[in-house]
């Protein structure tokens, strides 16, 4: 049986939300504004800040609210990639 942390270690990639953060800046929005618009929790915003996976439904809510595509929000990069995404 696997421990809770081993699942995270088994994932060979991380999720870069830099595109989302830039989109918010371009639209003069704060993370708080995004939370209020989409009704997502501060914990989900924190997970994205740590480059962790979030539920696809959450990303869909953000896409609908910001009228954008999933590819406008997140990049999937191999874990341990030395250069920024």
């Amino acid at each position: 049986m696997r421990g809770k942390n081993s699942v995270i270690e088994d994932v060979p990639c991380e999720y870069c939300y830099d595109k989302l953060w830039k989109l918010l800046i371009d639209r003069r929005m704060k993370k708080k504004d995004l939370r209020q618009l989409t009704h997502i929790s501060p914990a989900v915003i924190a997970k994205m800040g740590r480059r962790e996976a979030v539920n696809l439904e959450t990303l869909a809510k953000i896409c609908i609210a910001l009228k954008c595509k999933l590819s406008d929000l997140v990049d999937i990069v191999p874990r341990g990639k030395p250069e920024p995404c």
Side-chain angles (χ1 to χ4, degrees):
M1 181 175 212
R2 292 183 177 179
K4 183 177 179 181
N5 291 334
S6 67
V7 174
I8 294 171
E9 294 168 5
D10 290 345
V11 178
C13 59
E14 55 187 22
Y15 305 90
C16 179
Y17 299 96
D18 289 352
K19 289 179 180 180
L20 170 59
W21 309 139
K22 182 172 182 338
L23 185 62
L24 292 180
I25 291 168
D26 292 345
R27 295 187 184 191
R28 296 189 173 146
M29 293 178 69
K30 297 181 180 186
K31 292 176 185 178
K32 180 181 178 180
D33 300 323
L34 178 65
R35 282 192 1 246
Q36 291 174 342
L37 186 63
T38 58
H39 305 287
I40 58 178
S41 72
V44 171
I45 297 289
K47 284 181 75 170
M48 290 190 290
R50 293 189 304 267
R51 301 177 78 159
E52 295 177 7
V54 297
N55 190 303
L56 186 56
E57 288 181 27
T58 299
L59 295 174
K61 283 182 186 179
I62 295 170
C63 287
I64 291 166
L66 298 179
K67 296 180 176 71
C68 65
K69 300 179 290 188
L70 184 58
S71 61
D72 295 330
L73 304 181
V74 63
D75 285 317
I76 300 171
V77 294
R79 190 172 293 284
K81 185 177 178 184
E83 65 269 2
C85 54

